């Protein structure tokens, strides 16, 4: 199957700082990637759809100025959590579909802890 | 938008028994229904999926059924084993690369010896 890689797998930062998470499709090109957030023992909540070469599409209630998404190439999307606060602590996970396949492949996830 | 409901939230079965998890969806345009297994701290892994032109699909001990009219689909695991213990998520959406998936709330399955 296709491989999606995410980095870093975990990060701890101070309140008020910004954190960047990278999502790469390693063996296929992804014009679209999806960013999800998962709180402990909860479901995967879609935050935004990342579109290569254009603006991301954010889900209702997700602040686009706080969660900056950049999809500069067909294999890389980044999520930057700006001015992070403790309530932003969560498991952030990206995903993408390889061309011709319906299956959604997930990255390893990034666990963010904001102190 | 799509809304997916999943039941039960927790399910405990004895090893060897069957487990059934049910989901309903709201958007009749959805045509792709995958099931994911997620172990603690790890990424979700696809275990089986079904498209709207099929009513049932089976892969060894795992099967999924779809009722388009009722907007209902279910996961069936037979002969459960301890390694089946995990959180299972259903999802609904489209199959195209840009089509998002909406996930259910998850079911914590525990297979007891």
């Amino acid at each position: 199957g296709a491989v999606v890689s995410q980095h870093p797998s975990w990060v701890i930062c101070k309140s008020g700082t910004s954190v960047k998470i990278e999502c790469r499709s390693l063996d296929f090109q992804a014009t679209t990637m999806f960013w999800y957030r998962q709180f402990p023992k909860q479901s995967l909540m879609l935050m935004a759809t990342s579109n290569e070469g254009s603006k991301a599409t954010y889900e209702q209630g997700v602040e686009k100025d706080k969660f900056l998404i950049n999809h500069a190439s067909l294999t890389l999307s980044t999520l930057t959590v700006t001015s992070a606060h403790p309530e932003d602590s969560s498991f952030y996970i990206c995903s993408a579909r390889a061309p011709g396949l319906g299956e959604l492949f997930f990255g390893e996830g990034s666990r963010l802890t904001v102190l | 938008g799509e809304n997916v409901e999943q039941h039960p939230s927790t399910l405990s079965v004895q090893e060897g028994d069957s487990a059934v998890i049910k989901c309903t969806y709201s958007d009749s345009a959805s045509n792709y229904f995958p099931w994911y297994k997620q172990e603690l701290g790890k990424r979700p892994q696809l275990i089986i999926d079904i498209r709207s032109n099929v009513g049932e699909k089976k892969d060894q001990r795992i099967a999924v059924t779809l009722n388009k009219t009722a907007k209902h689909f279910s996961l069936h695991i037979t002969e459960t084993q301890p390694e089946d213990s995990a959180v299972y998520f259903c999802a609904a959406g489209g199959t195209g690369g840009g089509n998002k998936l909406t996930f259910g709330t998850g079911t914590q399955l525990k297979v007891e010896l």
Side-chain angles (χ1 to χ4, degrees):
Chain A
V3 179
V4 177
S5 180
Q6 200 170 331
H7 178 82
S9 56
W10 59 271
V11 58
I12 301 173
C13 70
K14 293 182 178 180
S15 185
T17 60
S18 295
V19 174
K20 180 185 284 188
I21 301 169
E22 294 185 347
C23 179
R24 296 181 184 274
S25 55
L26 298 186
D27 53 358
F28 66 98
Q29 295 181 331
T31 56
T32 303
M33 291 184 176
F34 304 93
W35 286 95
Y36 289 86
R37 178 169 54 185
Q38 186 176 36
F39 291 108
K41 297 186 178 181
Q42 293 191 24
S43 187
L44 296 147
M45 300 302 297
L46 181 64
M47 300 176 64
T49 301
S50 174
N51 304 298
E52 187 269 335
S54 65
K55 292 182 179 180
T57 304
Y58 290 82
E59 295 299 302
Q60 190 173 9
V62 177
E63 300 176 56
K64 62 180 181 181
D65 294 330
K66 180 168 183 63
F67 298 100
L68 300 179
I69 291 173
N70 186 287
H71 196 148
S73 78
L74 288 170
T75 58
L76 174 64
S77 175
T78 61
L79 168 68
T80 301
V81 183
T82 63
S83 186
H85 288 86
E87 56 266 30
D88 298 323
S89 298
S90 188
F91 190 56
Y92 293 87
I93 188 164
C94 69
S95 62
R97 282 176 160 140
L101 300 177
E103 179 179 353
L104 193 64
F105 295 92
F106 285 90
E108 303 95 324
S110 299
R111 186 162 301 283
L112 171 64
T113 301
V114 184
L115 301 176
Chain B
E2 178 64 274
N3 181 50
V4 179
E5 295 188 358
Q6 183 172 345
H7 299 281
S9 57
T10 60
L11 179 59
S12 184
V13 299
Q14 293 294 316
E15 183 180 9
D17 288 350
S18 296
V20 180
I21 303 171
K22 298 181 179 182
C23 288
T24 60
Y25 63 100
S26 62
D27 190 348
S28 57
S30 289
N31 59 2
Y32 178 62
F33 308 92
W35 287 87
Y36 284 84
K37 175 183 180 182
Q38 186 180 30
E39 297 178 351
L40 189 63
K42 297 189 177 180
R43 75 182 91 191
Q45 298 275 10
L46 179 75
I47 57 171
I48 196 167
D49 58 12
I50 192 168
R51 286 168 169 74
S52 59
N53 59 346
V54 175
E56 184 174 357
K57 183 177 178 180
K58 187 174 181 179
D59 182 4
Q60 298 183 339
R61 297 187 296 110
I62 296 172
V64 57
T65 59
L66 171 65
N67 183 328
K68 286 177 56 180
T69 303
K71 295 193 182 72
H72 171 276
F73 58 114
S74 300
L75 176 71
H76 304 252
I77 305 174
T78 59
E79 301 173 27
T80 53
Q81 301 167 3
E83 50 265 39
D84 294 329
S85 296
V87 179
Y88 292 81
F89 292 98
C90 64
T95 55
N99 290 85
K100 61 185 180 183
L101 288 178
T102 300
F103 284 80
T105 49
T107 296
Q108 174 73 61
L109 173 64
K110 183 177 181 182
V111 180
E112 298 178 333
L113 296 171

